[in-house]
Amino acid sequence: MASPSVMQLSSLSRRSLSTRAQLVRSARPLRSSGFSQQSFQRSTRRTYADAASAPAPKPQKRFRFLRWSWRLTWLTGVGMIGALGYSIYEQRNPIEQFDVDPTKKTLVILGTGWGSVSLLKKLDTENYNVVVISPRNYFLFTPLLPSCTTGLIEHRSIMEPIRNILRVKKANVKFYEAEATKIDYEKRVVLISDDSEIKGDISHTEVPFDMLVVGVGAENATFGIKGVKENSCFLKEVGDAQKIRKRIMDCVETAMFKDQTEEEVKRLLHMVVVGGGPTGVEFAGELQDFFEDDLKKWIPDIQKHFKVTLVEALPNVLPMFSKQLIDYTESTFKEEAISIRTKTMVKNVTDKHIEAEITNPDGTKELETIPYGLLVWATGNAVRGVVRDLMNQLPAQKNSRRGLAVNEYLVVNGTENVWAVGDCAVTNYAPTAQVAGQEGAFLARLFNTMAKTEAVENDLKALSVAQSEAKNDEDRNQIFDEIRERQRQLRRTKQIGPFQYSHQGSLAYIGKERAVADISWLSGNIASGGTMTYLFWRSAYLSMCFSSRNRVLVAVDWIKAKLFGRDVSRE
Ligand code: FAD
Ligand code: NAD
């Protein structure tokens, strides 16, 4: 049974809102100060009597605002938890899929990166027999890959299995974990090879296509510099991040080996990053954080010699960012004790040194040998072999150097049924995830429209036959109306414009819980850097993660690292 005081309070609550507000205000200190129930009742009665005789106070706008804010926050929280729960449920309980009519066109998609996956996400798979081919059976959220090199984020948190993505499509999609070794444009087939450890009786075969999307990305540029492939680590794939993580700890533990000379300790603890683009800068920042937050705490003996150096051939790092952000990055690196060597071009790499050509302020050049323990090579993109081979088959690609030249609908020049997206295509835009994602989404719209157009055109053909065979005028007129409606529909669906990229801005993490951002705003640009930008960077990338699962895992990794630090074990 409710206590009298509670009953009194509830009867009061029916009278007036303002009186209740006053009562609650007067009751609150009593409850918190641990008064007896009688004194609480006496107090509420007295307050009620006072309130009844006193003129009703004006509703306080300030509190009303707070009350509504609280309600809104509460409702938003409930809504977000509901949406998360529903999306997890949807992901865990995929619907039954149906097989596509085998007479429909075969659409082959190469790759499971940003371009191909954003195409798959929006594609109506019931319109085509879709076949996806990639040596990687997952999508990788590359913007957070540098954080995996130090164990801030576990690599599985930024991977989304391609099977999860394909299984939730309405119609069945085939996936082959294989590498496309050749695209034979004349024969309209893709030759594929299973390069995984376990092979069945068949590990090479060919897949015919009616339509082909090439989204194989790019490989690491080495510019043919000797020793790069053999001695350095790249940073493009999950395996690369794992290799770097292991090597950092290997260098540290080897430097601590008994009787190691000081010179060797210095070399082993010298972490060199070649390439001052966003990949190199973000990795250098993450590595210095790892040292500052964890390594020097658990292995204090490395403190004296641990050093991160960023080597860049151009006069400054991050050339795609505005001048003030370049300056901000360079000054932050100085604060973090990351040394930047600009105008330094690496020419040769051995297992223990790099040889670099330095341009002095007076324009003279000299060669310098820089010893290293860990070398991370991040000098941008080069064309993949399979793409180069396709370019060689097409005379229209003769003048293209950086990848497949495409038209404004992303059709590969010199073909009529091959499209290219992402880093393997040459457009007017930088090779970024943002561009690849928008290109993929554009192709999905294009293909969905093409399928709709084809269906309407088939309907039109059938209707014109029916019209010519109609028995009377009334039937003929009715069919004619339908034809007009279908023609209108056709005009509407055919109105798809060329691909247009909308730049949302560039973001990069620079270490010490700071980030830089060049954000497009209306027709201008906002440049910002610092801790607030870092919080924006984190929330932007968290919201951009592929799935709710990824979002939760990444957030948990961040919390874990904050509470317990990064793991300094070698595996
Ligand atoms: P990818 O995403 O590289 O995918 C290529 C796919 O093709 C992969 O699945 C691969 O396995 C597959 N493939 C390869 N060879 C074959 C073959 N022979 N046959 C079939 N499949 C094949 N961009 C941003 O906009 N913002 C960022 O913050 C950002 N951060 C980055 C951080 C790092 C560390 C790196 C390396 C890149 C970053 N980028 C960022 C750039 C971005 O990742 C790329 O521009 C983007 O991945 C390009 O997408 P894509 O689909 O062309 O290629
Ligand atoms: P990049 O092409 O942007 O930069 C490579 C850098 O390496 C260049 O500045 C180049 O001058 C330098 N370099 C080349 N050869 C050298 C040599 N021999 N010695 C010294 N320096 C040398 O490469 P990246 O950073 O790997 O980025 C690749 C693409 O991915 C870019 O389009 C980039 O915008 C995108 N990306 C974006 C982000 C982000 O937005 N946060 C992060 C990573 C990558």
Side-chain angles (χ1 to χ4, degrees), residues 89 131 181 195 260 265 268 318 328 375 417 438 466 483 486 506 557:
Y89 174 83
V131 180
T181 49
D195 285 341
Q260 205 72 268
V265 171
L268 286 163
L318 292 181
Y328 180 72
L375 177 65
N417 54 350
Q438 290 185 29
I483 289 179
R486 289 286 194 289
S506 306
D557 285 344

Side-chain angles (χ1 to χ4, degrees), residues 19 27 42 103 110 118 123 157 206 211 234 254 326 345 397 414 479 491 515 521 536 545 548 562:
T19 315
R42 271 198 309 276
T103 61
L110 303 182
S118 84
L123 183 73
S157 305
E206 52 183 52
M211 296 156 74
F234 297 112
T254 309
I326 292 172
M345 182 179 277
Q397 298 285 334
I479 295 171
R491 273 199 297 277
W521 179 255
F536 173 71
C545 279
S548 311
K562 201 80 196 162

